[in-house]
Amino acid sequence: MTSISMLSIPSLPRLVVTVLTAMFFSDLAFYPMPPAMAEPASPIASIYTSTADKACRKVSSVKVGDDEEYGSERICPGAAGLVVLKIEQDLREIISVGRNRKQAGAEPAASQSFGPFNSTTDTIEWRSGSDGKPFAMIQRWHIADNSDTGANSAKVDTGFALEFAPDNKRRVFFTRTGTHFARKRADKDGRPITKQMLVVTRLPPGAVCHVAYVDVKANPNANAVARKAADDMARSFDCARDKVTSAGEKGRTTELALPRR
């Protein structure tokens, strides 16, 4: 800023210039400088990884009958050194996360699945803070609605039991008698219609478990709803105490996924 005393005003006496200069700077006291702008909040970003078979390594499989694969376990690379454990068995999936296969298999998420037949989309979205460490992940699931099998389909009994060994490492699925035959008839006459749901899962530090479910059909902005749930809820969610909730508008998939109360 240029002082008025430095302006070239030869016709003014030195005393007048001095007085004007003092008046100019004294006026500045009535116009304080604006406060410093607050630093923006740490940004939350998304990165993406794949759980497609070609991106993962198969570590075990179960075969029945004529070498038909009944189930398998795969390890997939995740974000920030984490790995994704993908378990497929009896047309259902389980997804868990850890630093290694053993840790992922011991997390609460390794015991969270859904009664109806289900599968996951290959892409996982990881929500990370400015430090680059992910605190939540979002994945799209497809849940079979057994009450919606099309006009010409047979009624299908898809009940099952999920049993865990004391060491929590062995996951054994039991289907009721006749389920496999009923499923074959359903495949021929009309499969149960699958409906989409986003699953928000919290990540270490702390346990890994489901936090919220978002019904895709009921929420046109389902991705935004899931991200908000991840950002607002995942880090403070207590897997041992808190209950999984439906984020956004409830729909058929969240009805299928959440236990009846």
Side-chain angles (χ1 to χ4, degrees):
M1 183 180 298
T2 304
S3 168
I4 193 171
S5 63
M6 296 177 65
L7 297 176
S8 176
I9 313 178
S11 60
L12 294 177
R14 181 183 299 273
L15 177 61
V16 174
V17 171
T18 303
V19 171
L20 290 175
T21 302
M23 292 174 61
F24 176 80
F25 283 106
S26 65
D27 286 344
L28 291 182
F30 295 100
Y31 301 96
M33 297 296 289
M37 296 293 290
E39 293 186 3
S42 298
I44 295 177
S46 291
I47 58 175
Y48 300 85
T49 63
S50 175
T51 57
D53 290 351
K54 63 181 180 181
C56 305
R57 176 172 58 91
K58 184 185 292 188
V59 293
S60 70
S61 64
V62 177
K63 294 184 177 181
V64 295
D66 299 329
D67 293 332
E68 179 183 356
E69 188 171 79
Y70 177 73
S72 65
E73 290 190 12
R74 288 177 168 82
I75 291 293
C76 314
L82 296 171
V83 300
V84 179
L85 175 63
K86 181 180 180 180
I87 304 169
E88 300 176 82
Q89 201 161 30
D90 193 28
L91 300 184
R92 298 174 178 87
E93 293 188 9
I94 292 176
I95 300 291
S96 188
V97 174
R99 289 294 171 188
N100 49 56
R101 176 189 177 190
K102 181 179 180 180
Q103 186 184 78
E107 294 288 356
S111 63
Q112 291 180 302
S113 187
F114 308 106
F117 297 140
N118 60 75
S119 62
T120 58
T121 298
D122 293 339
T123 301
I124 291 181
E125 178 179 358
W126 305 80
R127 298 292 283 170
S128 303
S130 58
D131 59 0
K133 296 179 180 179
F135 56 83
M137 72 177 192
I138 303 169
Q139 190 170 23
R140 187 175 297 254
W141 289 64
H142 303 264
I143 311 294
D145 186 352
N146 300 316
S147 65
D148 186 2
T149 55
N152 300 318
S153 64
K155 185 177 180 180
V156 183
D157 176 11
T158 55
F160 78 105
L162 178 60
E163 180 178 273
F164 293 91
D167 61 3
N168 200 37
K169 293 181 179 180
R170 179 174 299 173
R171 292 158 290 275
V172 184
F173 289 89
F174 297 90
T175 55
R176 295 176 184 154
T177 303
T179 296
H180 290 288
F181 296 102
R183 185 166 69 242
K184 290 179 181 178
R185 288 200 304 272
D187 288 348
K188 180 180 178 180
D189 297 333
R191 298 183 182 184
I193 304 301
T194 60
K195 298 177 180 178
Q196 298 182 33
M197 179 177 73
L198 299 178
V199 175
V200 178
T201 302
R202 82 172 310 281
L203 301 173
V208 178
C209 65
H210 295 181
V211 172
Y213 302 145
V214 181
D215 187 291
V216 171
K217 184 177 181 180
N219 295 274
N221 58 338
N223 288 329
V225 173
R227 289 176 186 131
K228 180 172 175 53
D231 299 348
D232 293 349
M233 300 169 57
R235 284 168 283 194
S236 61
F237 192 87
D238 187 326
C239 295
R241 183 188 66 231
D242 298 332
K243 301 295 184 183
V244 185
T245 187
S246 174
E249 296 294 327
K250 296 180 180 179
R252 180 58 178 158
T253 55
T254 50
E255 180 183 336
L256 292 168
L258 290 169
R260 292 185 179 89
R261 292 179 172 85

